Amino acid sequence: TRSDGGVEMKYVVISELSIMVVEDQKEARAVICNMLSEMGVSELHEAGDGREALQKLDALYEQDKHLDLVLCDWNMPGVTGVELLRQIRTVSPNLPFLMITGRSDLDSVKEAKMAGVSAYVAKPFSPEQLEAKIRIVMQKAMMKTKSA
């Protein structure tokens, strides 16, 4: 724990996070999972699309396991990233959700914001950029929890 300007801040320990990666392209999912493993994340859950992600989330909740973060691609067949986000928000309104996207058009950003996205990371991204985004999203989530 460290103090920033008098406000007590908990430090985000990435290796302690439970993260679900939802990406329909197998190679891209493997790259992201590898980046997260290199950061020390030991609890990784993978899903190839939104439907599989929802099934895995249900299974985790049934086992009383928690998830700290969802990292999800925007463009996927079947259930898109935004549709998955909307469905997750009905059961887990505060679960941090980081959207991976190649999109930056204003309408897409507005749509995701209205659905409750925590943040974006634009493709292509480096491990350092991904780690920085994860830290920001998790810090925001910790602040929300503290003020609730």
Side-chain angles (χ1 to χ4, degrees):
T1 322
R2 64 172 199 249
S3 183
D4 290 340
V7 177
E8 198 63 29
M9 301 277 278
K10 265 189 126 184
Y11 191 69
V12 177
V13 182
I14 290 188
S15 61
E16 293 176 4
L17 298 178
S18 172
I19 299 176
M20 179 175 289
V21 177
V22 187
E23 166 64 76
D24 61 311
Q25 295 176 354
K26 208 174 186 175
E27 303 78 22
R29 190 169 66 244
V31 167
I32 295 165
C33 287
N34 189 44
M35 284 181 185
L36 294 169
S37 292
E38 295 272 320
M39 289 175 211
V41 176
S42 56
E43 197 173 332
L44 278 173
H45 305 275
E46 296 181 45
D49 59 41
R51 279 189 193 87
E52 185 183 351
L54 289 169
Q55 290 168 349
K56 288 192 174 192
L57 269 172
D58 284 345
L60 284 170
Y61 291 147
E62 281 173 22
Q63 297 166 23
D64 276 335
K65 292 189 177 178
H66 78 286
L67 194 63
D68 296 304
L69 173 68
V70 174
L71 242 160
C72 181
D73 186 33
W74 182 297
N75 283 322
M76 295 184 296
V79 178
T80 67
V82 172
E83 289 165 347
L84 175 62
L85 172 60
R86 284 192 190 110
Q87 289 185 44
I88 286 175
R89 285 292 172 251
T90 64
V91 290
S92 296
N94 298 315
L95 177 62
F97 195 104
L98 183 56
M99 190 75 77
I100 301 168
T101 183
R103 295 172 172 228
S104 59
D105 60 282
L106 211 50
D107 288 341
S108 296
V109 171
K110 280 183 190 170
E111 182 183 5
K113 282 224 185 272
M114 285 177 61
V117 75
S118 304
Y120 296 90
V121 63
K123 291 178 186 176
F125 51 85
S126 68
E128 295 77 20
Q129 289 168 315
L130 180 60
E131 183 174 349
K133 281 287 184 178
I134 290 171
R135 287 189 184 283
I136 289 165
V137 167
M138 296 311 299
Q139 198 71 55
K140 274 191 211 169
M142 287 170 18
M143 295 299 284
K144 237 187 230 180
T145 305
K146 201 172 188 179
S147 65

